[in-house]
């Protein structure tokens, strides 16, 4: 029990006593009636004394009970903490918990597959316009897992061609491990083989390139769709070996069958036979 009710009662009694004394003096002492200032002073003194007594009591109670209240609050907080079940530790600030990796797409309707396919379409359009750097950028940052296995190697083959034509031989060379025709469907293996050979011949592996495209038409059983690029790669390999006449003959076959457009398409990729390609393009 605190002292506050006691203080309030004491102050009230003192104020009442002052008022009663003033009233008694007013009734019992006729001379006091003629001294209104004295009456007012006596009443004011009683009220002021009561107020001081009450204020002093409040201050004393605050100073006395303040620390006790703080200790009581601390004890209640400790008891609440002990009663609360333990929480699992949280990751440190700035290092969020790592979410489990998403499974690779398994069907054509997966948004990631659609995104990768759209990037391929955009890249092909840019390549047709001769903007190979932008074409390579459209597909370069697509995670390989977003591309379905049956078309993944084919799209990477296109990317290698665009990187070669953009002058980024290093990036194209880094794709060699991914240009594995054994991991590609049989229908696209000739395309993958041609892309790998194109990178190898520009990286200086002439014999490796010739082993993929053969030393003459049909040696590797290539379909007509890739024959022209096989001839161009073979011409680069022959030019690197100093067989310039043989290299020119390969490029002449390309021009005679499909015109100079195929030479123009591969000209930005460079290679040992580039000067001969320019001559034939100028000749039309």
């Amino acid at each position: 029990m605190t002292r506050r009710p006691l203080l309030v009662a004491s102050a009230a009694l003192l104020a009442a006593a002052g008022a009663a004394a003033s009233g008694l003096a007013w009734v019992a002492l006729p001379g006091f009636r003629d001294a209104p200032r004295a009456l007012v002073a006596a009443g004011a003194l009683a009220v002021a004394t009561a107020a001081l007594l009450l204020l002093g009591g409040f201050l004393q109670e605050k100073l006395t009970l303040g620390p006790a209240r703080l200790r009581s609050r601390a004890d209640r907080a400790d008891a609440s903490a002990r009663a609360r079940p333990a929480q699992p530790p949280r990751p440190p600030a700035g290092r969020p918990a790592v979410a489990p990796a998403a499974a690779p797409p398994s069907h054509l309707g997966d948004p990631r597959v659609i995104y990768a396919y759209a990037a391929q379409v955009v890249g092909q359009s840019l390549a047709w316009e001769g903007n190979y750097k932008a074409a390579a950028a459209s597909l370069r940052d697509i995670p390989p897992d977003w591309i379905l296995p049956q078309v993944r190697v084919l799209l990477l083959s296109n990317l290698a061609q665009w990187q070669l034509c953009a002058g980024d031989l290093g990036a194209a060379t880094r794709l060699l491990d991914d240009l594995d025709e054994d991991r590609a469907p049989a229908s696209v293996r000739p395309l993958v083989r041609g892309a790998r050979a194109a990178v190898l011949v520009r990286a200086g592996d002439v014999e490796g390139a010739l082993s993929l495209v053969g030393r003459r038409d049909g040696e590797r059983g290539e379909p007509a769709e890739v024959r022209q690029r096989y001839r161009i790669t073979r011409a680069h390999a022959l030019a690197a070996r100093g067989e310039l006449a043989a290299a020119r003959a390969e490029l002449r076959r390309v021009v005679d069958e499909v015109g100079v457009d195929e030479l123009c398409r591969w000209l930005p990729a460079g290679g040992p036979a580039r000067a001969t390609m320019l001559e034939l393009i100028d000749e039309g």
Side-chain angles (χ1 to χ4, degrees):
M1 181 176 179
T2 65
R3 299 176 56 192
R4 182 173 298 178
L6 205 53
L7 293 171
V8 174
S10 301
L13 288 173
L14 183 58
S22 300
L24 183 60
W26 177 272
V27 174
L29 299 175
F32 196 80
R33 297 175 190 171
D34 298 329
R37 291 182 181 179
L39 178 61
V40 173
L45 180 61
V47 173
T49 303
L52 289 174
L53 178 61
L54 187 59
L55 179 59
F58 285 157
L59 291 175
Q60 183 179 6
E61 182 183 9
K62 188 74 173 177
L63 294 174
T64 301
L65 297 180
R69 287 179 179 172
L70 292 177
R71 284 194 299 271
S72 177
R73 290 177 184 174
D75 292 342
R76 288 197 299 271
D78 290 341
S80 176
R82 286 193 297 270
R84 190 181 305 119
Q87 299 293 326
R90 294 183 179 179
R95 298 174 61 185
V98 178
S106 59
H107 57 87
L108 293 174
D110 191 295
R112 293 169 294 177
V113 174
I114 298 173
Y115 184 88
Y117 180 76
Q120 156 68 19
V121 172
V122 170
Q124 189 65 69
S125 299
L126 291 168
W128 283 336
E129 296 174 359
N131 192 350
Y132 295 106
K133 186 175 181 179
S138 71
L139 196 59
R140 180 187 58 216
D141 296 327
I142 301 296
D145 286 347
W146 289 20
I147 307 171
L148 293 179
Q150 56 266 38
V151 296
R152 184 179 302 159
V153 181
L154 177 60
L155 264 62
L156 293 176
S157 300
N158 292 338
L159 176 59
Q161 176 195 355
W162 301 340
Q163 288 172 331
L164 285 176
C165 292
D168 195 346
L169 177 59
T173 303
R174 288 191 291 273
L175 286 178
L176 280 175
D177 290 341
D178 297 318
L179 299 179
D180 183 359
E181 61 180 292
D182 291 337
R183 291 187 294 172
S187 60
V188 300
R189 285 177 184 173
L191 285 168
V192 176
R193 191 183 309 134
R196 184 176 179 86
V199 176
L200 287 176
V201 74
R202 289 166 178 80
D205 188 355
V206 175
E207 296 304 322
L210 282 175
S211 70
L212 292 173
V213 299
R215 298 176 182 270
R216 64 189 63 86
D217 288 347
E219 184 176 314
R220 294 302 309 270
E222 73 277 1
E225 292 79 13
V226 299
R227 182 160 293 163
Q228 308 309 326
R229 66 175 62 189
Y230 274 40
R231 287 172 173 171
I232 293 173
T233 298
R234 189 180 302 124
H236 284 303
L238 293 171
R241 298 174 60 177
E243 302 177 26
L244 298 182
R248 184 181 179 87
E250 292 292 336
L251 297 175
R252 184 77 255 175
R253 292 189 186 96
V254 174
V255 175
D256 290 344
E257 288 191 14
V258 298
V260 298
D261 288 346
E262 187 72 11
L263 298 186
C264 293
R265 186 174 297 114
W266 280 95
L267 185 65
R274 186 174 187 277
T276 305
M277 294 171 70
L278 284 172
E279 291 175 4
L280 292 172
I281 290 172
D282 290 343
E283 292 174 8

